[in-house]
């Protein structure tokens, strides 16, 4: 199993479902950087097909750069060959977990549990627009304010900033790193 060693190396993505107050379907696409635990995007729609997944990833690739790998299941959400083809064209390799093995995608499964417990189970959404606003507010709080024990009780966005700064400074230094990046950050 590929374990990320730096930001933007391995992203993971998965779907979560919820309902509006009147029973309307809400489908959420969650994208996470495995190294920093930062939630890069939660897209909320009535349905999400390969076109919407590609649009979301395309925006993230443009704004953050493409990761080396994207980890996901290979379930019905990813039927479209267009998605795999698009990833290959953009220099991103796929890492598929084995069917029925969610523990192989532990970062996103843990994140989805927190999203469900701390946001979705506590809110009743009147419509998709309200869901988008509330979920985006929760995502920002998760990234910027919520300390993460695996990151030395630093919020994911702060950890990402530190990691990127350290990588820039070590890249410009003439000496080689002797400690893993995460140990140097904390």
């Amino acid at each position: 199993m590929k374990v990320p060693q730096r930001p933007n190396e391995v992203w993971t993505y998965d779907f979560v479902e919820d309902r509006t107050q009147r029973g309307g379907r809400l489908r959420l696409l969650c994208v996470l950087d495995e190294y920093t635990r930062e939630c890069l995007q939660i897209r909320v729609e009535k349905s999400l097909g390969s076109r919407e997944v590609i649009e979301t990833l395309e925006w993230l690739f443009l704004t953050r750069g493409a990761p080396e790998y994207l980890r996901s299941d290979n379930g019905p959400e990813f039927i479209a060959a267009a998605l795999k083809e698009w990833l290959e064209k953009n220099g991103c390799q796929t890492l598929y977990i084995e069917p029925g093995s969610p523990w192989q995608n532990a970062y996103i499964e843990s994140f989805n549990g927190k999203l469900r417990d701390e946001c979705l189970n506590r809110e009743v959404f009147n419509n998709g627009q309200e869901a988008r606003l509330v979920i985006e507010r929760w995502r920002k709080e998760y990234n910027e304010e919520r300390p993460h024990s695996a990151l030395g009780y630093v919020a994911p966005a702060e950890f990402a900033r530190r990691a990127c700064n350290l990588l820039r400074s070590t890249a410009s230094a003439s000496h080689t790193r002797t400690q893993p990046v995460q140990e140097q950050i904390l």
Side-chain angles (χ1 to χ4, degrees):
M1 186 164 134
K2 175 73 177 156
V3 178
Q5 301 298 310
R6 64 188 174 285
N8 225 32
E9 182 180 10
V10 180
W11 291 358
T12 182
Y13 56 121
D14 198 11
F15 293 93
V16 176
E17 289 198 18
D18 203 27
R19 298 268 177 203
T20 64
Q21 182 179 11
R22 293 188 178 147
R25 183 178 185 196
L26 295 173
R27 189 118 162 110
L28 289 67
L29 170 65
C30 301
V31 184
L32 198 73
D33 182 310
E34 287 189 3
Y35 185 78
T36 66
R37 312 305 202 276
E38 190 176 16
C39 178
L40 307 177
Q41 181 77 38
I42 302 175
R43 182 166 180 175
V44 181
E45 302 289 344
K46 288 182 182 180
S47 66
L48 290 160
S50 62
R51 188 183 90 235
E52 291 81 13
V53 173
I54 289 171
E55 286 173 358
T56 302
L57 293 174
E58 185 173 43
W59 174 250
L60 289 171
F61 282 27
L62 288 170
T63 58
R64 301 184 70 96
E68 293 177 42
Y69 302 93
L70 244 69
R71 189 184 322 270
S72 67
D73 63 19
N74 196 13
E77 295 93 351
F78 302 100
I79 294 172
L83 179 57
K84 186 172 182 180
E85 183 180 319
W86 183 85
L87 290 170
E88 288 173 3
K89 283 181 184 178
N90 285 278
C92 184
Q93 299 176 51
T94 54
L95 296 171
Y96 293 120
I97 66 169
E98 293 179 34
S101 303
W103 57 87
Q104 292 179 349
N105 207 2
Y107 297 113
I108 197 74
E109 294 296 335
S110 175
F111 174 81
N112 289 346
K114 289 173 181 69
L115 172 62
R116 170 95 34 222
D117 291 345
E118 297 172 13
C119 183
L120 302 179
N121 288 347
R122 294 178 182 201
E123 300 288 341
V124 177
F125 304 115
N126 290 315
N127 54 49
Q129 182 60 29
E130 181 182 35
R132 283 182 203 92
L133 293 171
V134 170
I135 291 167
E136 179 59 14
R137 184 175 61 230
W138 181 87
R139 185 187 75 83
K140 286 183 177 183
E141 180 182 314
Y142 173 88
N143 282 339
E144 297 170 12
E145 299 174 25
R146 190 177 185 279
H148 197 295
S149 60
L151 304 176
Y153 295 96
V154 173
E158 177 61 23
F159 184 82
R161 279 189 289 278
R162 291 179 187 181
C164 289
N165 288 340
L166 181 62
L167 288 170
R168 278 192 289 277
S169 69
T170 56
S172 63
S174 59
H175 66 282
T176 55
R177 259 190 338 257
T178 57
Q179 294 176 298
V181 172
Q182 191 169 19
E183 289 177 21
Q184 292 180 55
I185 295 166
L186 303 175

